[in-house]
Amino acid sequence: MGPDGKVLVYLVQQGIWEMPLESMPLAAGYLKAIALEDPRIRDAVDIQILNYRGGVSLTTMANDLFARGKPDILACSVLGWNHRTFGSLAETFKQFRPDGWVLFGGTHVANQGERTFRTFPEVDVVVNGEGELVFRDLLLRYLDGSGPDDLSAVDGISYRGPGGEVVTTPPRGRIENLDVIPSPALSGAIELTDGQGRFRYDVALMETNRGCPYKCAFCYWGGAVGQRVRAFSRERLRQELEIYASLKVHSICLCDANFGLLPIDEEFVDDVIEIRARTGYPRALESSWAKNKSKVFYRIVRKMKEAGLRSSFTLALQTLDKSTLDLMNRRNMKVNEWEELVAWLNAEGLDCYAELIWGAPGETVESFLRGYDRLSQHVSRIAVYPVLLLPNTDYTEKRNEYGIVSVRGDHDDFEYVLAHNTMSIADNQEMQRFLFWSRVLADAAVFRHCWPALRVLGGVPQSQVLLNIDAWIAQSDDPAAAPLRDAVSIGVDAPGQAIDYLYREPAAKDMLRRWWDESIRPLLPPQHADLITEVFRYDLLTHPVYRIDGKPPEGVGMIEVGDDEYFVRPEVTLYYDVPAVVAALRTGEQPDTRPAAVTSDLYYRVGVENYATTTNSEEIVHFMARTKEDLFGEATPAP
């Protein structure tokens, strides 16, 4: 019990990344908001959200959590990265409160009652679908005096019966009217500000809809794959936007599987644009965009461009190999007709990046690299992820058919694929290094502008550059290469330290220049070598600017633009008109390759240190240098 005699409930979340600012605990906020709407629960239960960063250790978490008090119910939002941590936390909790309840929810444990109870005997209940109504019903059963082995009246859960047997109740139907879930932001279920009244999270998370009409073999998005999409009401979402605008939130990140699919999505963007025009915020909208791009999507993108609302538009292709697409259950998706879309986005001058998965059944090294370079002809910023076996997915169910051999992670509960019928262990080990460099240099945009110049003017494919730097780093005597050798030996799961190193350290940039001069420039045609090298220099110049001991680096000033601060690097001279060359290459036009010195001020948004930029490729681009014309041409300062 809490100090006021109420039943004490801890809702525990932990993000995947260590970062200066917290990740918004939206899932826990939903649970708390809907529970406290019930008068009986509101009068009898004290619900507290404990939200931990990814880098917080189990020992630290346990000390912090139980020093606050010994809860009656410990409810954990379980994903693959915190599965083991929360299992150990449950064990500790039961030492304090043997009669307390442990509730596990989340996609990693849904429909996995047998394994969860076997792995973590201290867990009492596993939630098998949407958790809001289930959580409320479980609290009411607790108040009724039920034991954790007497929950047959609650649909959508697994629990252990009186004899220790696993009992799974009938599935609960999806929540049709999402507005029955009170907004965590509007209800006050989530604290939005810190002690100084500032928005306390890295970005504002919003969910405009739930459900996904597709059933991709690797995915279990929110437990709602193969489901009709249901939307929150426009008025509710608008009220949330008004709150975030009043708190000067820069970026809204949507937790939707296919934003841009429904007509209501266009209405949401209309509201974002109107609120931004009036208040100056938000400045960016990020999402997982609809796989099939409809007329709604194109109208949304055009409106966002005209309003200066920034975003990264994602092509979630996963593979370009036809047989692999068949096994992924994606051959009938228009997402695979992507060339015209990319050409349109490039012509509109909009950022676009793509996602691929390495190691899917049916894929080979040759087919993957062939697809990677084909894709890079249109989109240079490519995120490549290793295939994982996730619970409740087609790949997991057909692992024997595909000959999949996997291993669970050292610090998480994901199953990492080592080999299958078309991929040997040696193939996989070779490609893990490629994935590392793709994540660091292409996805995180350490190189951004030089890719099309290398490909079109230099005749050097993107995959060749990544393989080249891997070989050069492996044998280099440059001291600045050593941290990268250490990082690549850790593998694709830990590229963050390499990204941070390349962005922050002057010695790392000097090392990149040496690699370029020794290993890339000799590959370039002489007539274009100087120009392509100048584009490479522009990439390094446009990297985010970090404070040094709280101050900008030497030669960099600072100004205010509306409510935002920007570092300024004045009068940067380029010996070719690099921005014009890059713009022409993006749209497939022939650039003017003659020397033509241009001078420009470069502006960098301040505060990159407060974001998980080493792992969040959507956010890093908002801290890259912008020209005066770009910044002031789209700025919408607050009144």
Side-chain angles (χ1 to χ4, degrees):
M1 290 288 180
D4 55 1
K6 289 186 174 183
V7 173
L8 182 58
V9 177
Y10 285 171
L11 284 171
V12 187
Q13 280 195 224
Q14 184 182 31
I16 187 172
W17 298 316
E18 171 60 21
M19 55 189 183
L21 295 177
E22 297 176 70
S23 178
M24 189 172 170
L26 184 62
Y30 283 141
L31 298 175
K32 180 176 179 178
I34 199 167
L36 293 183
E37 195 174 52
D38 185 286
R40 188 178 173 203
I41 294 174
R42 187 167 60 246
D43 291 341
V45 181
D46 177 13
I47 302 175
Q48 299 182 19
I49 296 176
L50 303 180
N51 186 36
Y52 295 100
R53 296 175 176 85
V56 176
S57 69
L58 171 62
T59 302
T60 300
M61 194 183 303
N63 274 282
D64 175 75
L65 192 151
F66 296 118
R68 298 169 182 264
K70 314 305 183 295
D72 302 285
I73 298 176
L74 180 70
C76 299
S77 181
V78 184
L79 286 304
W81 61 80
N82 57 35
H83 181 265
R84 296 181 186 178
T85 297
F86 285 164
S88 297
L89 199 64
E91 181 181 9
T92 302
F93 167 69
K94 286 290 189 175
Q95 295 174 52
F96 283 117
R97 289 294 310 273
D99 59 340
W101 288 18
V102 175
L103 314 180
F104 270 18
T107 56
H108 203 77
V109 293
N111 306 311
Q112 303 296 313
E114 292 276 1
R115 177 174 184 260
T116 301
F117 296 138
R118 184 174 65 251
T119 307
F120 305 125
E122 295 78 16
V123 175
D124 296 297
V125 179
V126 170
V127 178
N128 289 325
E130 285 175 302
E132 291 87 1
L133 296 178
V134 174
F135 179 66
R136 183 196 64 189
D137 290 353
L138 288 170
L139 293 185
L140 290 173
R141 295 296 294 167
Y142 186 92
L143 294 178
D144 289 339
S146 296
D149 60 353
D150 181 23
L151 298 173
S152 59
V154 180
D155 288 343
I157 64 171
S158 296
Y159 66 95
R160 276 192 296 262
E165 72 280 9
V166 176
V167 179
T168 296
T169 62
R172 184 182 292 255
R174 310 294 300 184
I175 301 173
E176 290 299 320
N177 178 14
L178 294 179
D179 281 354
V180 303
I181 309 169
S183 164
L186 301 176
S187 67
I190 292 178
E191 292 185 31
L192 296 180
T193 57
D194 60 17
Q196 287 73 47
R198 299 169 301 194
F199 187 67
R200 66 186 301 157
Y201 306 109
D202 59 339
V203 298
L205 298 179
M206 294 182 66
E207 197 177 24
T208 75
N209 64 61
R210 289 185 181 178
C212 178
Y214 310 116
K215 298 189 71 173
C216 300
F218 53 84
C219 182
Y220 189 63
W221 187 293
V225 292
Q227 298 282 338
R228 181 177 60 82
V229 179
R230 295 148 291 128
F232 289 94
S233 69
R234 180 177 186 177
E235 182 56 31
R236 171 208 175 105
L237 297 173
R238 183 180 176 88
Q239 291 178 32
E240 291 183 344
L241 287 171
E242 293 280 8
I243 286 182
Y244 296 136
S246 71
L247 295 173
K248 300 179 179 179
V249 172
H250 182 278
S251 297
I252 303 288
C253 288
L254 303 182
C255 305
D256 305 337
N258 289 278
F259 184 72
L261 184 69
L262 304 175
I264 195 174
D265 297 342
E266 186 174 0
E267 296 176 355
F268 176 80
V269 170
D270 288 339
D271 290 337
V272 173
I273 291 171
E274 187 278 323
I275 291 169
R276 181 181 186 270
R278 176 164 39 85
T279 68
Y281 293 92
R283 302 291 175 81
L285 178 68
E286 302 292 351
S287 183
S288 290
W289 292 90
K291 309 301 180 291
N292 289 347
K293 305 299 191 287
S294 66
K295 292 180 180 179
V296 172
F297 169 81
Y298 285 95
R299 289 198 301 268
I300 286 174
V301 173
R302 181 63 59 78
K303 287 181 177 182
M304 290 178 64
K305 179 195 175 184
E306 292 173 352
L309 184 63
R310 307 186 77 195
S311 186
S312 299
F313 297 98
T314 312
L315 292 171
L317 299 178
Q318 315 312 353
T319 181
L320 273 67
D321 181 69
K322 292 182 179 180
S323 62
T324 308
L325 285 169
D326 278 336
L327 299 181
M328 277 188 179
N329 304 324
R330 289 172 68 91
R331 276 295 296 277
N332 63 340
M333 293 171 63
K334 293 179 182 177
V335 68
N336 304 305
E337 302 170 3
W338 50 272
E339 286 95 337
E340 291 184 3
L341 171 62
V342 176
W344 183 79
L345 289 170
N346 285 334
E348 293 292 320
L350 298 170
D351 285 335
C352 178
Y353 79 99
E355 293 178 350
L356 294 176
I357 291 176
W358 157 249
E363 195 82 81
T364 65
V365 172
E366 294 75 21
S367 69
F368 180 83
L369 290 179
R370 185 166 56 247
Y372 183 94
D373 280 331
R374 177 187 164 198
L375 179 58
S376 71
Q377 293 175 21
H378 305 270
V379 182
S380 57
R381 193 163 157 235
I382 303 173
V384 185
Y385 303 103
V387 67
L388 301 177
L389 290 190
L390 303 180
N392 308 302
T393 62
D394 199 45
Y395 281 166
T396 299
E397 294 173 5
K398 296 180 178 179
R399 60 190 308 156
N400 292 334
E401 177 181 340
Y402 299 143
I404 293 175
V405 178
S406 65
V407 62
R408 293 196 183 270
D410 292 328
H411 306 292
D412 58 45
D413 196 57
F414 294 122
E415 287 190 77
Y416 294 83
V417 175
L418 295 181
H420 52 59
N421 292 342
T422 60
M423 178 184 75
S424 69
I425 290 181
D427 291 338
N428 195 28
Q429 290 174 340
E430 172 190 346
M431 289 300 295
Q432 290 302 321
R433 299 179 69 90
F434 179 86
L435 266 63
F436 176 90
W437 290 110
S438 177
R439 179 75 180 274
V440 171
L441 298 182
D443 181 20
V446 170
F447 297 163
R448 187 163 56 134
H449 303 294
C450 69
W451 295 119
L454 281 165
R455 185 185 69 253
V456 177
L457 302 177
V460 182
Q462 190 160 316
S463 67
Q464 183 178 346
V465 178
L466 299 175
L467 295 170
N468 183 293
I469 195 170
D470 180 53
W472 189 89
I473 291 291
Q475 57 80 40
S476 176
D477 60 356
D478 193 317
L484 295 172
R485 278 196 296 273
D486 294 340
V488 77
S489 68
I490 297 173
V492 72
D493 302 326
Q497 59 182 289
I499 299 169
D500 187 69
Y501 176 64
L502 291 171
Y503 277 139
R504 285 180 185 260
E505 295 298 327
K509 298 183 194 300
D510 290 340
M511 181 269 301
L512 288 176
R513 295 184 186 97
R514 179 182 168 188
W515 157 72
W516 182 276
D517 290 339
E518 292 181 0
S519 200
I520 294 297
R521 183 165 180 131
L523 303 177
L524 305 177
Q527 68 272 26
H528 294 315
D530 288 344
L531 169 57
I532 300 171
T533 298
E534 190 71 347
V535 179
F536 168 72
R537 185 170 79 92
Y538 188 63
D539 263 337
L540 301 187
L541 282 170
T542 54
H543 283 177
V545 170
Y546 291 75
R547 295 181 179 95
I548 301 175
D549 298 326
K551 300 177 182 178
E554 184 177 352
V556 175
M558 183 180 292
I559 66 166
E560 292 186 0
V561 180
D563 295 316
D564 294 329
E565 289 184 317
Y566 283 83
F567 293 127
V568 184
R569 182 172 278 127
E571 298 184 349
V572 175
T573 297
L574 301 171
Y575 301 102
Y576 291 82
D577 191 348
V578 172
V581 169
V582 171
L585 291 171
R586 285 190 63 185
T587 57
E589 300 175 7
Q590 180 63 39
D592 185 347
T593 60
R594 294 171 297 180
V598 295
T599 300
S600 177
D601 298 341
L602 296 180
Y603 295 81
Y604 309 77
R605 183 180 162 211
V606 173
V608 66
E609 306 88 355
N610 295 327
Y611 292 80
T613 52
T614 57
T615 45
N616 190 332
S617 56
E618 289 85 358
E619 282 300 303
I620 189 65
V621 295
H622 298 309
F623 294 91
M624 295 288 189
R626 302 170 68 183
T627 63
K628 180 183 293 186
E629 295 75 17
D630 180 32
L631 177 62
F632 292 98
E634 79 169 38
T636 306

